[in-house]
Amino acid sequence: MVSTEAVTIHAAGREVRITSPDKLFFKAGGETKLDLARYYEAVEAPILRTMGGRPTMMQRFPDGAHGKSFFQKRVPKGAPEWLETAEVSTPNGTTSNALVVADLAHLLWAVNLGCIGFHPWPYRAAMPEVADELRIDLDPSPGVTFDQVREAAGEVRALLEEDGIASFVKTSGSKGLHIYVRCEPRWTSYGVREAGGARPRARAPAARPHHGPVVEGAARRARVRRLQPERAAQDGVRRGASAPAWAGGSQRRSVGKRYPPWTSTR
C-alpha cells in the first residue's frame, strides 16, 4: 500500500514536503517518488551545474514514468512564495511563468508534483538576452536508424573539435541524442544558432556525404531560445532540451545501452 504520510527533506535552507513518498515511479526497478527525490539529492552538484538558474519546462508523470506525461510551462497556483520563476515566451507569442531551478529545493518541489523530465532553456534567467549553450538535436526520423544518428553525432562532434570547440553528447531522454556546447554569454540565441548550424551545413555534405542529410537536419534543429516571440519563432523551437542528469532517461534503456563511449554529460 502506498504511504500517505509525507516526508520532509531539508534542502537549500528550506523544508520541502514529499507527499505519497512510496508512490511507484519506475516499475522496472521499483523506485518510488522518494527514491527519485533522494537521487536528486545525490546528484545535486552536477545537475545544478547544468540547469541551475535556468527557466525550465516541467514534464510531469502523474502515474510514474510508465504512465502518460504532459508538459507544464507555467508554475501552478499555490506555489510557495520562495519559488523563483521567470517569464518566458513561446513561438506562438504566449508568455508563461516558468520554474527557475535556483537550488535543490526548487528541484524537489517539482519532483513532488510528479515531475521527472526537466527541459531547461539554454540561457540563465538573470541574462535572458544571451545564450550560453548551443544544443543540437538529433532524432531518428523515418528511414534513419539510431546507429546512423549515433554516427552523425560523432561526425558533428569531430567537426566542432576541428575548430577547437568542446562538445558533449547525451541521450535525449526519448529516442535520440543531444549535442551540447557551452558558450561564452556574449551572443544572442539567434546568433548562437546560426553559428552552430553553419559549420555542419558547410562541411558535412561534401566531406561526409553519407551523413549529409542527417547532420544538416541537426543543424536546422539546433535548439536555442530567446524571450522575444518573433525571434523564438525564427529559431524554430518550442522548448528547452532535456537536462543531462534528469532521471527520465533511465526509462529509455534501449537508447542508453547504445550510448557512445566518447560521450559525456559534464
Side-chain angles (χ1 to χ4, degrees), residues 98-165:
L99 170 70
V100 175
V101 182
D103 51 38
L104 181 61
H106 287 69
L107 195 63
L108 297 181
W109 172 84
V111 168
N112 189 53
L113 295 181
C115 182
I116 297 178
F118 293 89
H119 302 267
W121 270 250
Y123 59 73
R124 309 280 175 174
M127 299 180 63
E129 68 278 1
V130 293
D132 63 355
E133 281 187 350
L134 165 69
R135 300 165 180 176
I136 298 175
D137 182 19
L138 288 167
D139 283 322
S141 55
V144 178
T145 67
F146 184 83
D147 285 338
Q148 287 177 300
V149 171
R150 182 174 58 179
E151 291 180 44
E155 297 290 347
V156 173
R157 189 169 186 265
L159 288 172
L160 293 169
E161 285 181 342
E162 288 178 11
D163 290 334
I165 299 173

Side-chain angles (χ1 to χ4, degrees), residues 167-205:
S167 62
F168 308 97
V169 183
K170 58 174 284 294
T171 50
S172 65
S174 180
K175 57 184 178 179
L177 295 174
H178 287 163
I179 302 172
Y180 277 53
V181 176
R182 284 295 177 92
C183 309
E184 293 183 30
R186 295 170 51 191
W187 300 280
T188 66
S189 59
Y190 188 75
V192 170
R193 177 187 185 274
E194 287 302 301
R199 180 66 164 165
R201 282 196 300 267
R203 293 292 308 278

